[in-house]
Structure formats: C-alpha cells, structure tokens
Amino acid sequence: MEALKQELKEKIIAVLNLEDIAVADINDTDALFGDGLGLDSIDALELIVLLDKDYGIKLTDPKEGKHIFQSIDTMSSYIAANRTK
Amino acid sequence: MGKTYINGIGCVSAQKTFDTVFLEEAVLNESLNVLPLELPTYKDYISPIAARRMSKAVKNGIVASTIAMKEAHVDTFDAIITGTGMGCIEDSDKFLKAIIDNNEEFLTPTSFIQSTHNTVGAQIALGMTCKAYNFTYVNAAVSFESAVFDAKMQIDADESKTILVGGIDEMTDYTQRLFKLAGFIKNDEEGSFPILNSKSKGTVFSEGATFFVLENKKSTSTYVEIVDIEMVNSLEVSEVESKIISFLKQNNLEVSDVDAVVLGINGDMEFDNYYKSISESAFKNTPQVYYKHLSGEYNTASAFGLFVGSKIIKAQQIPDILKANAITKSEIKHLLLYNQYRGIDHSFTLISKC
C-alpha cells in the first residue's frame, strides 16, 4: 500500500503539473480539493482519466468521486480494492 | 474619425525585451537557426497554481499584456483582440498525440481546453474578468495585422476607446522538425545563419508574444499614432513599390516623407527580393531597419516589428544593431513597416510621431 501511495503522489504531481510540489509535501490524509492541495474540477476530470488509464477503474457514479478523491489514503484504498490493471 | 495611439507595449521575444528600455541588451546570435526565448520569471506575473496548465504561448501572452497594461496605466478594455498564426500548437500537439497513443481513449481535458487559438485572449480576459469583445485572428503572417486592423476600425468608428491587441506564436520541437523538413528553417549544416544578404533558402525561426494598448487618446506613455494599415494577400516583386506609393498617397504622403522603413527581411534568398526591390530603389535614401535577426521569424513576428518601429519613433534613434543601411535622419516622424512571408501575406503599416 505504501508503494501505491508513493506512485499515486508521483502520478498526481506529473499529470496535474504541480511544479512546486514534491511527493514529501503531500500527506496521506491531506485533502486533495479545497483547502488541501487546492485542486479544482478540471483536476477531478484528470484524476478520473488517470484511474481509468492506469488502473482500469471506470467511475460511473459522480457521487463516488467525492469520497474517493478525498485524500491519498482514500484514493489508494479504492484503487487497491478495485483495480483491474 | 478617431485616431489610434499606442500607449503601452509589452514584449516577450528571443531578446530581453522586458525590464529593458530598447534592445540595449540585444544579442545577435547567428549560430542558431531557431532562436530560444529570453524567458521572463513567470511567477512574477502569474500564480503558480494558474500557470501550471498554461503553455508557453499563454504565459508569454499574459506577461506581455501585463507589461503593456502597466505601462499604459490601463486595467480594463473595450476589446481584446489577438492574432496568431499557429495558436497554442504545443497543447494541440499534446492532445492529438494523446488521441493516437491512447487509441482515442483516455482524453484529458487540460490540453484540449488549452489548445484553441483563442486560448491566450481568453486567459487574459479571464484573468481580468473582462467580458468585452474578444476575438482572435488566425490569418498566417497577417494574423497580427488583422487584429490591429480590427482594433483600428473600432476606434475609428468610436465603438471602442481602449483595446488590447497582441500577436502570439509558439514553437515546438515537432513543429521545428516539420519546418526543417519543409525547408522553412535554414539547413542545420550551414552552421552560420546570417539574415542580411543571406545566400540560402529558409529562415531563422523563433517565437514570441507582443502586446499593445491602443487608445483613442494620447497619454504620457504614448509611443506613436497608427495612421493606417493595409494587407494584400498576393503581390509580385515588381508590384510592391507601386503598392507602397498608393498606400502612402491615400495618407497624403510620398516616399520622400517616410523617415525610416522597417523591413521584415528574414534571410530567405527566395523571398527577400521583395524587400530588396524597394530598399534599392524607392527607399535607397531612407534609413532602413531590419529586426528578424533578433526576433527570428514566426507568423506574428511583425508585432515585434511594430514594437521596434514604435520604440524608434519614441526614442528618435535607431540602435545600430537594427540598421540595414548607414543612412540617418535628424527626425523620424513617419515610419513605414513592410512585411511578407514566402511571397504572400504582405502588410503595410504606417505609424507617425505624435
């Protein structure tokens, strides 16, 4: 799980061009949206594509996203339980 | 009919054209056939969180427009009009590559959103919440002139008082490779790439963003008046002189009234004859200026030409690095800019001291 969290942080930084943020700057429990990393709705779309492309997870229910994308902890747990790649 | 004044200029180019007065730090580099940009510190102009999705063209456009607005002491516009030959080609490439690489699946929104030609004008407007007329002209080498023409018509007709006009183009590795294959960029093996009196085909390319605040009133920051602008799609070499004479005549001027001519010479031996035809005849006794050895060629490089022309009139001085001949004039009142690219998209711009 720790390796997955590390990988996820690296991918989020790369995909979302978070140039000034390092892996060490993102805590597992930090909020990804709002006050935490400050991501926005376009970033949410990028993360949905990331789950599909890299882990074979298709999100069909928008309500699910709100919970899944809360933090690195919630995202990695969801990926570990549902990944097909 | 109103008059159109340039009251602020911002430029990002292959030279240090920001935080300088007028090309005093310009460096002639004849060893490269694609000139790199002299980059500003983007963080001084754009928040990192906003900049992370922006391509070079967008960032350069925002920096150049911010400098122009600051100089003109203007923070709101009746119109934002941009010109670009190739638009945000970097994000267009990314988006198209993703379509191919991912077999038309997994398309992400960012590069698509940023890939339109109007992205620069849109981002500037978003940044200042400006809901006014916002238009982008994509007319190859007269894209910028089309934008100026639109702005001037709006000011002439008193439909707008303050307009932001800019020309933006960016270069990517992929475009560079294609341009080299097509022979638009001088052959790498030439080793040295002088522009004046070049004996080879192709030109030296680059990229840049140049913005102007145009207003219907003079201010303390006024550079020049844009008297007239005209575009012609196609001309023969032999027709250029008569075209210029008629353009000047409609502005009650003659060739002898022009105190300096700014030529878009780009070192392409196939097409620089257009400039030679007038520099050796009608304008042989006129100070001649060239600039693409400093800016490089790109579809909106003529915006850099207008930057140069405006600065010359304001400073009443032609820096040595821009001189194509040794003739001087005690006063530079009327200045003509002539540009074309590969024999088409000819533009004539007349600016005057005010």
Side-chain angles (χ1 to χ4, degrees):
Chain A
M1 185 61 95
E2 285 310 309
L4 176 59
K5 286 179 185 174
Q6 173 79 10
E7 176 186 292
L8 207 47
K9 289 175 188 175
E10 287 168 4
K11 284 185 174 176
I12 287 174
I13 288 169
V15 167
L16 305 183
N17 292 324
L18 302 173
E19 290 168 357
D20 291 336
I21 293 175
V23 168
D25 297 332
I26 308 174
N27 294 317
D28 295 350
T29 54
D30 281 351
L32 297 179
F33 293 83
D35 292 339
L37 268 188
L39 304 185
D40 59 23
S41 57
I42 295 174
D43 295 316
L45 290 170
E46 294 278 359
L47 293 180
I48 289 169
V49 175
L50 173 78
L51 286 190
D52 192 359
K53 188 179 167 188
D54 291 5
Y55 302 105
I57 299 169
K58 284 191 192 299
L59 286 187
T60 48
D61 182 1
K63 285 178 196 161
E64 274 187 310
K66 205 170 179 183
H67 170 69
I68 297 163
F69 297 136
Q70 247 174 11
S71 65
I72 293 292
D73 267 349
T74 55
M75 247 184 115
S76 56
S77 300
Y78 188 81
I79 291 169
N82 296 281
R83 66 190 299 171
T84 58
K85 281 189 192 174
Chain B
M1 201 161 86
K3 290 189 171 184
T4 304
Y5 299 99
I6 295 179
N7 287 349
I9 305 178
C11 182
V12 175
S13 70
Q15 302 297 327
K16 192 158 189 286
T17 38
F18 48 89
D19 299 334
T20 54
V21 180
F22 182 25
L23 296 175
E24 65 274 19
E25 294 180 32
V27 177
L28 176 60
N29 186 345
E30 293 185 335
S31 63
L32 295 173
N33 53 1
V34 179
L35 302 175
L37 274 184
E38 186 71 40
L39 293 176
T41 306
Y42 292 123
K43 284 177 192 170
D44 292 347
Y45 300 88
I46 315 162
S47 77
I49 203 78
R52 70 195 168 97
R53 292 198 193 106
M54 293 176 182
S55 67
K56 266 186 302 183
V58 177
K59 286 191 272 197
N60 293 334
I62 289 175
V63 171
S65 59
T66 304
I67 294 170
M69 286 159 62
K70 199 173 165 187
E71 186 175 42
H73 304 290
V74 165
D75 56 12
T76 180
F77 293 103
D78 300 319
I80 296 174
I81 311 173
T82 53
T84 177
M86 304 212 297
C88 294
I89 192 80
E90 186 179 338
D91 278 297
S92 300
D93 284 354
K94 266 190 215 168
F95 184 66
L96 293 172
K97 190 173 182 304
I99 289 176
I100 296 165
D101 290 351
N102 298 318
N103 201 23
E104 299 185 18
E105 285 186 287
F106 312 125
L107 298 178
T108 57
T110 303
S111 53
F112 173 67
I113 294 167
Q114 300 286 334
S115 68
T116 71
H117 287 75
N118 190 40
T119 303
V120 181
Q123 286 286 357
I124 292 168
L126 277 171
M128 55 196 292
T129 54
C130 174
K131 294 175 183 169
Y133 177 96
N134 194 308
F135 207 92
T136 298
Y137 287 88
V138 184
N139 293 346
V142 287
S143 300
F144 171 69
E145 285 78 2
S146 304
V148 175
F149 189 77
D150 183 351
K152 185 163 167 46
M153 281 203 299
Q154 291 197 34
I155 290 175
D156 284 351
D158 206 21
E159 287 178 9
S160 296
K161 291 180 170 58
T162 305
I163 300 180
L164 180 69
V165 171
I168 321 100
D169 270 296
E170 65 181 358
M171 175 57 78
T172 67
D173 291 344
Y174 185 63
T175 307
Q176 209 180 113
R177 285 203 299 277
L178 292 179
F179 279 16
K180 283 183 180 176
L181 274 175
F184 297 164
I185 295 177
K186 286 186 181 295
N187 191 328
D188 289 344
E189 284 158 24
E190 287 175 34
S192 175
F193 310 99
I195 294 300
L196 212 53
N197 302 316
S198 164
K199 297 283 184 285
S200 63
K201 293 180 182 178
T203 182
V204 171
F205 256 81
S206 189
E207 55 193 335
T210 312
F211 274 79
F212 301 84
V213 173
L214 305 187
E215 290 186 283
N216 65 343
K217 286 193 172 70
K218 278 201 277 186
S219 74
T220 51
S221 61
T222 297
Y223 282 85
V224 294
E225 179 194 346
I226 299 180
V227 179
D228 200 359
I229 184 161
E230 193 169 329
M231 292 158 276
V232 181
N233 180 253
S234 181
L235 278 176
E236 295 298 322
V237 172
S238 58
E239 295 173 319
V240 177
E241 186 171 324
S242 57
K243 180 68 223 169
I244 287 175
I245 289 169
S246 67
F247 175 68
L248 292 172
K249 194 176 177 186
Q250 71 197 31
N251 290 288
N252 303 314
L253 293 174
E254 294 178 5
V255 166
S256 58
D257 295 317
V258 175
D259 302 306
V261 60
V262 177
L263 303 169
I265 298 166
N266 70 3
D268 188 333
M269 63 172 280
E270 275 190 290
F271 301 101
D272 273 354
N273 281 342
Y274 280 95
Y275 303 112
K276 197 170 263 186
S277 72
I278 54 168
S279 66
E280 291 179 352
S281 56
F283 294 106
K284 66 181 177 192
N285 296 318
T286 307
Q288 295 166 14
V289 172
Y290 74 126
Y291 58 89
K292 287 182 184 168
H293 56 312
L294 301 180
S295 70
E297 178 66 275
Y298 48 97
N299 282 143
T300 48
S302 51
F304 186 93
L306 184 57
F307 158 84
V308 160
S310 304
K311 292 269 184 179
I312 285 173
I313 288 186
K314 191 164 189 177
Q316 285 294 299
Q317 188 194 349
I318 303 173
D320 288 343
I321 200 165
L322 294 170
K323 289 178 179 171
N325 66 3
I327 294 166
T328 57
K329 282 248 178 148
S330 55
E331 186 187 18
I332 302 165
K333 196 173 174 194
H334 302 295
L335 186 147
L336 176 73
L337 296 108
Y338 168 48
N339 187 61
Q340 54 83 24
Y341 180 60
R342 297 182 65 78
I344 58 168
D345 293 332
H346 302 260
S347 62
F348 307 91
T349 308
L350 181 65
I351 56 175
S352 291
K353 184 181 169 185
C354 51

